[in-house]
Amino acid sequence: MTEKKTTAAQRDGTDWQPRIVAFLCNWCSYAGADLAGMSRNDYPAAIKIVRLPCSGRVDPMFVLKSFERGADMVLVSGCHPGDCHYSSGNYHARRKLPAFRELLGFMGIDPRRFKISWVSAAEGNKWSSLVADITEEAYALGPFQEFPKCTAPEKTG
Amino acid sequence: MNDVSETKLYRLEADWLDAALGALERDGVEVLAPVKDEDGSVNLAPVTASSEVATDYLNALIPLKSVFMPRTEVLIEYERAGVGDVEVLPGAAPAGQRVVLGCRPCDARALVMLDSVFNWDYEDVPYRARRDSTTVVSWACMDPGPHCFCTSVGGSPHSAEGSDAVVYLAGSGPALLQVVTAKGAAFVESLGDRAQPAADGTALPEPPELETKFDTGEIKTWLDENFESELWEEVSLRCLGCGACSFLCPTCHCFDIVDESTWKHGERRRNWDSCAFCQFTQHASGHNPRPNQTTRCRQRVMHKFKYFPDRFEQVACVGCGRCAQNCGVGQNLVSILSRIQSEEKP
Amino acid sequence: MHRTGENRMNATPVEESLREAAAGAIADGTVGVVIGYGHEAGSDVATPLFARTPEQARGLVFDATCVGNLAIYLPKPEVRALGRTGLVVKGCDLRAVNVLLREHVIEREDVFLIGVRCAGVCEPPLHKCTVCPVHDPSGCDVTLGDSVEQPTADASRANALVAEMEAKSIEERWEFWKRQMTKCVRCYACRQVCPLCYCKRCIVEKTTPQWVETSPHLRGNLAWNVVRAFHLTGRCVGCGECERVCPVDIPLGLLNQKMAGLMEQWFDFQSGLAPDEQAPFTTWDPNDPEEGIL
């Protein structure tokens, strides 16, 4: 990954940086991210990785909770179809998570803020370019305020 | 019943509402009045113009209690301050001066009951502050609905209990206002020349007829003796255990306190809670003294018609009928109470 | 909606056969209780009636006010304690029973199903009735009522409300749901009335960790309603009870319809049409769509 890092200040004069929460399966995507690191690939630091056994472990609540706590984007990444360490976890994820994204979109929560990807242990380069791309998109989308900020008490309860 | 001295009755000019809103806005007083929302429900909400106010409505969907005990409120906030230390910040300040203009007498009467609880062994600070800063002007009820039973629980469509003033609307023409408290008198003053003392001999309109459906005294006698009764099992069978009846009840006041926090910052909130919920009485050990809907349904009736009268000499029900109107399975407090009464006098 | 009062003096033919079937099943010990519909003063819709004697079964009614889905009572321990349950079901209610069967919440022998053919309830008929694919409940122990014509399915009509919402911009949708969800008081009537929300402990009641904030502010309300809709995805049978009982009139059915439409579109699946079907989220196919995955 060779794209030159741009700082937030260069973009719009503010210090804002997107926060991307990534749930990675232990066997493929996490190893892929590891490979990117070992290969000294350069990619944006906006991404915060949570390691899970499998993309099938991702409960949609993880996504929602991340948004509630201020994530600007959420990524779930697992093994390519056919490669699941547990044979079918990612197949289940492939049904559930896109459906969840549809629900979010239907309720007016920008589905572009929820990404799903397959990255294998050998795809260090795919990982770093993926992170660069979605970080770029997160900058374009701007801060996601709807969730964390919507607790204002009402006048009449 | 309506024994009010003449000096306490005022005639309001047809445009009194505009005058009131204008004067209160100038004084920085917030006005909450019935407003019909896009979905057709009427609720108390801030208004600035009389055109926003719904005058022709049965009752607000969410009861008046929400003005004094919001469904969720921040009691305190806290923030991490260095290692091992927490800074506690006061919660959201209770609202400034407010006038509720147009709640129903039954909802206002519920405040008498809430006052008893929130000033009982402990004076509830946020509740008290909101009560002190709010003037309650109710609109006498001229046309009760099919679920109303205020006359069965000691109230009246024209009850002045809990209100600071009561307005008797007559279409969009001049109205009559009855002052009940000093706060109500202050409200009349804000109307300036739009409110004039009513002519000598002016009488309040007669309240509409409303059949009395049961006798709370006889019900209490039965409840005193029948904590264990097959009736509870029978009437609770269909209850689904949701909180719709308690949350829409103007006198139900149970609450839960929760912390909502991140690593650095948190809020301690007070939220409405309901005795119908299965976890309401669940202990940390797992034991639940009210383990089924039968005991939970009994609690709701007992609390309103036995425990509350035992403590405060009044029933905790104003007969607004919201519980029956909004129950998904047609559970009906009136039918349960009528049945209890028939058990008492076979 | 029909205005009901006291029990009507004259029972309709279907009511006569319903009362007879119920009374017979109670009398011969087939069931300990029949749960059906009755009329009660003060309620615009028919109320649940628990008939435990043949005499009580005389109060059963069946008319346009029989809106509720009585399958909600099947898993309840206090109802099961009354003995084998006889249940009056319309086609839409039977779909919920089918899901309870497929999820092994109840077994077929636990329940005696009294199906009633139904062309729709309420006047004008509810949206769910106009698109209902099961006017004639099949697989019941007894099926009553005259045969009713089953209109051919019209997907565009079934999805009309969802399509209307999807035609709005994302900002408009957000504004719409924000306003709706702000109204939620968290009474959980939607959950309590749902025949498929039978979890002994709902996720919203779990506190370690607290996945869903219980405070009725917009953030907590959104989380709750998203969770509810998603947990019912591929399961909801569209009986519409959640929306009917919502005291603050949030159009909850719309969320369920959206997800049900999606399951049909992606997996050609409609929930509750048979007791042995495989729910979409309990299985997978190597050829499932890959769209939108990076």
Side-chain angles (χ1 to χ4, degrees), chain B residues 39 71 147 238 240 243 260, chain C residues 40 42 73 182-183 192 215:
Chain B
D39 304 322
R71 67 174 95 152
H147 293 286
R238 71 161 79 136
L240 299 174
E260 287 178 355
Chain C
E40 203 171 299
Y73 292 108
T182 300
K183 300 193 292 189
Q192 297 303 111
S215 299

Side-chain angles (χ1 to χ4, degrees), chain B residues 334-346:
Chain B
V334 173
S335 70
I336 296 176
L337 294 173
S338 311
R339 226 182 108 188
I340 287 177
Q341 186 165 3
S342 66
E343 303 250 333
E344 177 57 21
K345 303 191 279 215

Side-chain angles (χ1 to χ4, degrees), chain B:
Chain B
M1 176 155 181
N2 295 313
D3 186 19
V4 174
S5 71
E6 283 161 31
T7 52
K8 284 189 170 177
L9 278 183
Y10 290 82
R11 182 179 185 275
L12 305 180
E13 299 299 329
D15 62 348
W16 71 277
L17 192 53
D18 284 310
L21 292 173
L24 294 166
E25 193 178 1
R26 272 194 303 282
D27 295 345
V29 178
E30 184 179 50
V31 179
L32 302 172
V35 174
K36 192 177 240 177
D37 69 17
E38 290 169 62
D39 304 322
S41 311
V42 173
N43 273 305
L44 295 169
V47 295
T48 50
S50 63
S51 56
E52 298 169 54
V53 180
T55 50
D56 180 23
Y57 77 109
L58 180 59
N59 209 338
L61 176 61
I62 304 290
L64 175 65
K65 73 173 175 189
S66 65
V67 172
F68 304 99
M69 185 201 173
R71 67 174 95 152
T72 179
E73 66 174 311
V74 178
L75 296 176
I76 53 165
E77 282 186 77
Y78 44 91
E79 225 162 58
R80 216 149 75 145
V83 179
D85 200 14
V86 172
E87 190 185 348
V88 177
L89 315 159
Q97 291 295 314
R98 295 189 297 187
V99 172
V100 174
L101 202 50
C103 60
R104 287 299 178 196
C106 51
D107 273 20
R109 196 164 165 260
L111 297 179
V112 179
M113 297 153 198
L114 296 180
D115 286 348
S116 307
V117 177
F118 286 114
N119 297 297
W120 182 24
D121 50 349
Y122 168 77
E123 187 175 292
D124 190 276
V125 176
Y127 177 86
R128 194 65 254 169
R130 292 195 186 93
R131 276 292 270 143
D132 288 345
S133 64
T134 308
T135 303
V136 176
V137 181
S138 51
W139 288 350
C141 185
M142 303 302 186
D143 190 13
H147 293 286
C148 292
F149 59 97
C150 57
T151 51
S152 306
V153 288
S156 147
H158 288 182
S159 169
E161 278 181 272
S163 301
D164 296 306
V166 183
V167 175
Y168 298 79
L169 297 174
S172 54
L176 204 58
L177 181 144
Q178 172 193 7
V179 167
V180 184
T181 67
K183 273 197 221 167
F187 170 72
V188 170
E189 251 167 60
S190 75
L191 294 175
D193 64 355
R194 312 321 291 157
Q196 298 292 338
D200 285 353
T202 304
L204 289 172
E206 279 300 312
E209 287 282 322
L210 196 55
E211 185 199 348
T212 309
K213 294 178 175 164
F214 51 82
D215 180 286
T216 52
E218 288 182 18
I219 283 164
K220 170 120 182 6
T221 311
W222 188 87
L223 292 176
D224 284 339
E225 301 296 327
N226 287 281
F227 188 76
E228 305 288 352
S229 161
E230 282 174 7
L231 179 131
W232 300 120
E233 199 185 314
E234 210 174 305
V235 300
S236 65
L237 211 46
R238 71 161 79 136
C239 175
L240 299 174
C242 80
C245 53
S246 342
F247 286 4
L248 298 187
C249 174
T251 71
C252 272
H253 49 264
C254 287
F255 56 80
D256 184 26
I257 293 181
V258 296
D259 278 13
E260 287 178 355
S261 56
T262 61
W263 282 107
K264 289 180 178 152
H265 171 260
E267 289 171 348
R268 178 157 300 170
R269 283 181 173 270
R270 167 155 71 179
N271 300 331
W272 289 353
D273 204 349
S274 167
C275 59
F277 291 158
C278 60
Q279 286 199 324
F280 185 73
T281 47
Q282 177 130 18
H283 296 181
S285 67
H287 170 69
N288 193 340
R290 287 185 215 136
N292 48 40
Q293 217 52 40
T294 301
T295 50
R296 298 191 275 266
C297 281
R298 174 178 65 195
Q299 166 65 21
R300 192 171 144 78
V301 177
M302 283 280 184
H303 192 181
K304 290 190 173 303
F305 295 95
K306 171 170 161 54
Y307 309 144
F308 209 86
D310 279 344
R311 270 180 205 129
F312 303 116
E313 289 165 353
Q314 56 191 334
V315 294
C317 172
V318 292
C320 70
R322 285 183 181 90
C323 51
Q325 197 181 346
N326 290 287
C327 179
V329 290
Q331 188 76 293
N332 187 328
L333 194 59
V334 173
S335 70
I336 296 176
L337 294 173
S338 311
R339 226 182 108 188
I340 287 177
Q341 186 165 3
S342 66
E343 303 250 333
E344 177 57 21
K345 303 191 279 215

